[in-house]
């Protein structure tokens, strides 16, 4: 088992049924560079057509356990399984119909996710995205790499898949496994719709969601820059004096997930924020520690703030 002071490493594999998770996990366990003898709990949360062939990897250090009912996926139960096999690490083939929040709620406190990969059958992915968009967003928003397998070069357009992923996450890498047996990483350039290299960045109304995601993912590159945009200024009785929330409502996939996404703003002047107000703001960005972030984050030092009318589309989207 891991040292008492060390977290339990968790390798997470996401995707819908028949998306290719089982095949990849089996190949990984058959690779001596990964399967180095560490005692590994393999939690299988859904069983598809393809089954594990345990003859392809060492059976004495791999412990497959099936959890098909979500009610059984609890901290107590999965910790018990890890203890029984004296696991040193955990691999989870997660059920595509379960949400990531349900996974986070079920993980014991001492477990830590080391890697997240998602797998999708390219021939069915677009239908899944159209019919179960919230679940697609839920998975892609959390993974480091998405692999589109069974990709037909002749009939499928990489840009269509690329746009879906980039509309959800700019940090997720994309790979394509083609039907002819070859594979490659996505190399489509995806420039931001504003000049991130400018000292003064002007964010159009339609681009706020992209800007907000980018600054929260790569905040250091904005440190010391100036930004101007139309946003909502909001107050909160728990905010320290001179602090306001600066942001907008963002819809990622559907109306149900609209969330007010905001950053800390420093504005020492009196302002009535019993209700949020639409304002034009110019501010200097400083990446620093702030107690509302419980760590470092982008703090907007407001230079100018003027009340204004709402934009034509008040809820920001990723296009």
């Amino acid at each position: 088992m891991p040292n008492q002071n060390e977290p339990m490493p968790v390798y997470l594999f996401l995707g819908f049924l028949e998306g290719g998770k089982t095949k990849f996990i089996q190949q990984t366990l058959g690779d001596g560079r990964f399967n180095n003898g560490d005692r590994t709990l393999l939690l299988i949360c859904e069983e598809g057509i393809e089954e594990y062939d345990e003859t392809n990897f060492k059976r004495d250090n791999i412990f497959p356990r099936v959890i098909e009912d979500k009610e059984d996926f609890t901290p107590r139960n999965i910790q018990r399984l890890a203890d029984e096999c004296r696991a040193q690490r955990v691999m989870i083939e997660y059920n595509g119909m379960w949400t990531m929040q349900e996974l986070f709620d079920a993980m014991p406190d001492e477990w830590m996710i080391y890697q997240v990969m998602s797998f999708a059958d390219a021939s069915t992915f677009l239908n899944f995205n159209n019919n179960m968009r919230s679940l697609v967003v839920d998975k892609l928003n959390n993974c480091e790499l998405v692999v589109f397998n069974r990709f037909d070069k002749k009939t499928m357009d990489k840009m269509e898949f690329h746009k879906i992923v980039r509309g959800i996450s700019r940090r997720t890498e994309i790979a394509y496994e083609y039907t002819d047996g070859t594979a490659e990483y996505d190399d489509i350039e995806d420039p931001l719709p504003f000049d991130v290299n400018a000292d003064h960045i002007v964010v159009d109304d339609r681009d706020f969601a992209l800007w907000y995601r980018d600054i929260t993912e790569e905040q250091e590159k904005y440190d010391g820059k100036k930004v101007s945009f139309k946003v909502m200024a909001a107050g909160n009785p728990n905010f320290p004096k001179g602090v306001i929330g600066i942001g907008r409502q963002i819809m990622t996939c559907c109306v149900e997930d609209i969330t007010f996404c905001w950053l800390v703003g420093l504005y020492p002047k009196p302002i009535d924020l019993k209700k949020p107000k639409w304002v034009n703001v110019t501010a200097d960005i400083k990446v620093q520690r702030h107690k509302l972030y419980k760590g470092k984050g982008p703090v907007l030092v407001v230079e100018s703030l003027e009340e204004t009318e709402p934009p034509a589309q008040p809820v920001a989207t990723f296009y």
Side-chain angles (χ1 to χ4, degrees), residues 7 25 35 41 44 48 63 75-76 129 132 147 159 163 167 169 171-172 178 186 193 196 245 281 283 303-304 314:
I25 294 171
N35 190 4
L41 170 62
I44 304 165
F63 302 89
R76 182 175 182 178
N129 184 61
M132 291 186 284
V147 179
M159 181 58 77
K163 285 183 176 180
S169 170
R171 67 178 181 273
T172 300
Y178 299 117
D186 187 301
V196 73
V281 168
E303 180 180 293
S304 66

Side-chain angles (χ1 to χ4, degrees), residues 22 26 51-57:
T22 300
Q26 183 149 278
E51 297 182 355
Y52 287 97
D53 180 359
E54 296 182 23
T55 61
N56 287 342
F57 50 80

